[in-house]
Amino acid sequence: MPVFDFIVVGAGIFGVTTAIELQKRRFRVALLEQGPVPHPLAASTDISKIVRMEYGADEEYMDMVDEAFAGWKQWNDFFQQTLYHEVGFLMLCKHPLAAGKNTFEAASYHNLIKRGYSPQRLDAGMLERKFGAFRPGTYAEAIFNSRAGYAESGRVVEVLVDYARQLGVTVLTNHTVQTLELQNGNLTAIRTQEGVRLQAGHVVICAGAYTPLLLPELQSFMRVTGHPVFHIRPENPGAFAPPYFSVFTADISNTGWYGFPLHPREGVVKIANHGAGQVLHPEKDPRIVSTADEQELRSFLRESIPELADAPVVYTRRCLYNDTLDGHFWIDRHPEIKGVTVAAGGSGHGFKMAPILGEMIAAVVTGGRHKWSARYGWRKLDTGTRQEEEARFKPPADA
């Protein structure tokens, strides 16, 4: 029976970065994934994820991503391929910042200035000249920060898993954890649905949306929500390539809409919605992007990006978030089961921090502390807890 110091359950961005960091510390590490890598249904997959430090008034998240930028560039150099594309980030505002209605964008802008960055404020005329694909008159103002962009998410996971193997991590694909074996409150081993028993000194649950299924005691603190994602093939691709088009949010805290420039490999423009989402069970419920979802997309495109309003949608997916009720990570040792750590609760913003996640999780797993770990510890949340991320669109019923 294989014996490991650490078994990491889930080979998404939380899991693979944790496995790499633990292996670098010379532990015996196994990384388990219930399907192939990258898993096609995982939150970490797809073709792109935004990397931006704009977090409204939340300066800790801003600092975390600010530090992660160096890691993204180091990965580009180390792996000798462009995994992170620094194409800039555009925040579109329907109202001038002075009107006080775009609080997320205004706070993000002022915190960038506070840190010595120089984002551009674009009035409606400047916006039309610089980013002509957006319908003139729809947005009164915009803020463009060149220090931002996107990562090729599924490809990043694939590259990092290959690197983990090279370091000596035992990667086991198509292994689904069925039970955690406990003895006197201590974890002793795990069993998979495939009939394999693996003994470990410690198990790190990085299972995303499946985390509350493996640990039912977290079900009252987490929920799984599904969010529509669209890949659109433009008739005129050049109009949507950088520098004429960038990563953007479109009055996001009031609409949820965000998107990406033309993907260099896939030739599509990805647009998605970062909102309340649809509460789903990760195993029992279908992950379908509905006709109503596409109608809402078309309405947004007619208002904001008319050239894409009738362009074909060539792919859709409903991306599952593992949401904590307050919208913050959940990274801590289990308070009642010795030998178990949880590293989950991405809540839609984990991927951008990938280069620092593994270090933080490994510090907690090995009994230490990290400069940012205190905020994400095991905590009591209740039905009155509100999601705190300012960019997350909350419909009036949830506001």
Side-chain angles (χ1 to χ4, degrees):
M1 178 180 62
V3 180
F4 298 95
D5 298 312
F6 292 97
I7 296 176
V8 180
V9 178
I13 201 63
F14 279 74
V16 67
T17 55
T18 300
I20 287 170
E21 186 63 30
L22 291 171
Q23 187 71 32
K24 286 182 176 179
R25 298 183 185 200
R26 301 187 181 280
F27 292 109
R28 294 165 297 172
V29 181
L31 178 63
L32 268 64
E33 176 54 61
Q34 65 175 338
V37 175
H39 196 293
L41 297 181
S44 293
T45 193
D46 206 348
I47 58 173
S48 54
K49 302 288 182 183
I50 293 180
V51 181
R52 46 93 176 165
M53 72 177 93
E54 287 79 352
Y55 262 94
D58 197 319
E59 297 189 51
E60 179 167 290
Y61 278 135
M62 175 175 269
D63 288 343
M64 290 170 73
V65 183
D66 198 3
E67 186 170 308
F69 278 124
W72 281 113
K73 293 180 178 180
Q74 287 170 7
W75 281 351
N76 279 358
D77 292 340
F78 182 75
F79 295 115
Q80 296 185 326
Q81 53 185 304
T82 304
L83 300 171
Y84 164 64
H85 300 256
E86 194 158 272
V87 298
F89 176 56
L90 181 71
M91 294 185 292
L92 298 161
C93 309
K94 286 192 174 179
H95 305 278
L97 292 192
K101 295 184 178 181
N102 288 91
T103 55
F104 161 71
E105 291 84 358
S108 296
Y109 173 74
H110 292 302
N111 276 329
L112 287 170
I113 298 294
K114 178 179 175 181
R115 279 158 177 73
Y117 296 109
S118 302
Q120 293 177 272
R121 286 184 69 170
L122 308 174
D123 62 24
M126 297 167 67
L127 175 62
E128 183 178 358
R129 290 190 293 274
K130 189 174 178 68
F131 298 106
F134 296 102
R135 183 185 289 279
T138 299
Y139 298 99
E141 188 171 354
I143 300 160
F144 180 71
N145 177 15
S146 61
R147 191 169 190 259
Y150 69 92
E152 294 190 43
S153 46
R155 191 160 152 249
V156 168
V157 172
E158 186 175 8
V159 167
L160 290 177
V161 170
D162 285 344
Y163 179 51
R165 287 192 180 101
Q166 293 171 28
L167 290 174
V169 174
T170 299
V171 178
L172 300 172
T173 58
N174 300 301
H175 280 68
T176 302
V177 175
Q178 185 175 53
T179 56
L180 304 178
E181 291 190 6
L182 305 178
Q183 185 174 3
N184 299 322
N186 296 328
L187 180 128
T188 55
I190 64 171
R191 285 190 181 272
T192 72
Q193 292 179 8
E194 294 72 26
V196 177
R197 184 174 185 268
L198 300 170
Q199 188 173 338
H202 204 104
V203 169
V204 190
I205 306 295
C206 300
Y210 295 87
T211 299
L213 300 185
L214 291 173
L215 296 171
E217 58 269 36
L218 287 174
Q219 290 179 6
S220 61
F221 305 143
M222 295 179 177
R223 61 185 174 186
V224 177
T225 57
H227 305 260
V229 176
F230 306 87
H231 294 184
I232 302 167
R233 196 171 302 283
E235 183 177 349
N236 178 17
F240 298 95
Y244 309 108
F245 204 77
S246 73
V247 173
F248 71 89
T249 53
D251 207 45
I252 189 169
S253 58
N254 298 307
T255 71
W257 292 110
Y258 69 98
F260 300 78
L262 189 77
H263 194 277
R265 298 172 185 273
E266 303 295 329
V268 297
V269 174
K270 174 182 166 180
I271 294 180
N273 195 275
H274 183 56
Q278 181 183 92
V279 177
L280 295 173
H281 189 285
E283 291 182 334
K284 298 177 182 179
D285 294 330
R287 307 182 187 190
I288 297 172
V289 173
S290 67
T291 300
D293 291 323
E294 185 165 348
Q295 289 173 344
E296 291 179 7
L297 169 74
R298 297 295 182 186
S299 177
F300 163 69
L301 293 175
R302 285 192 294 271
E303 178 189 35
S304 299
I305 316 173
E307 192 173 334
L308 293 180
D310 298 314
V313 173
V314 297
Y315 174 79
T316 64
R317 72 187 296 252
R318 190 168 286 279
C319 180
L320 295 195
Y321 291 5
N322 174 217
D323 279 325
T324 56
L325 298 186
D326 58 9
H328 298 309
F329 297 140
W330 196 285
I331 300 172
D332 201 0
R333 287 187 163 205
H334 198 293
E336 297 177 357
I337 304 175
K338 186 177 180 181
V340 173
T341 292
V342 176
S347 301
H349 53 219
F351 205 95
K352 61 181 66 66
M353 302 176 192
I356 64 170
L357 276 179
E359 178 186 343
M360 177 164 58
I361 296 167
V364 172
V365 166
T366 55
R369 304 179 70 178
H370 187 273
K371 60 183 174 181
W372 287 312
S373 63
R375 186 182 192 181
Y376 311 119
W378 204 280
R379 55 201 183 273
K380 290 291 185 181
L381 306 175
D382 57 38
T383 55
T385 303
R386 310 307 292 172
Q387 186 280 124
E388 296 179 4
E389 187 198 347
E390 293 172 78
R392 187 86 173 260
F393 168 58
K394 296 177 282 291
D398 293 337

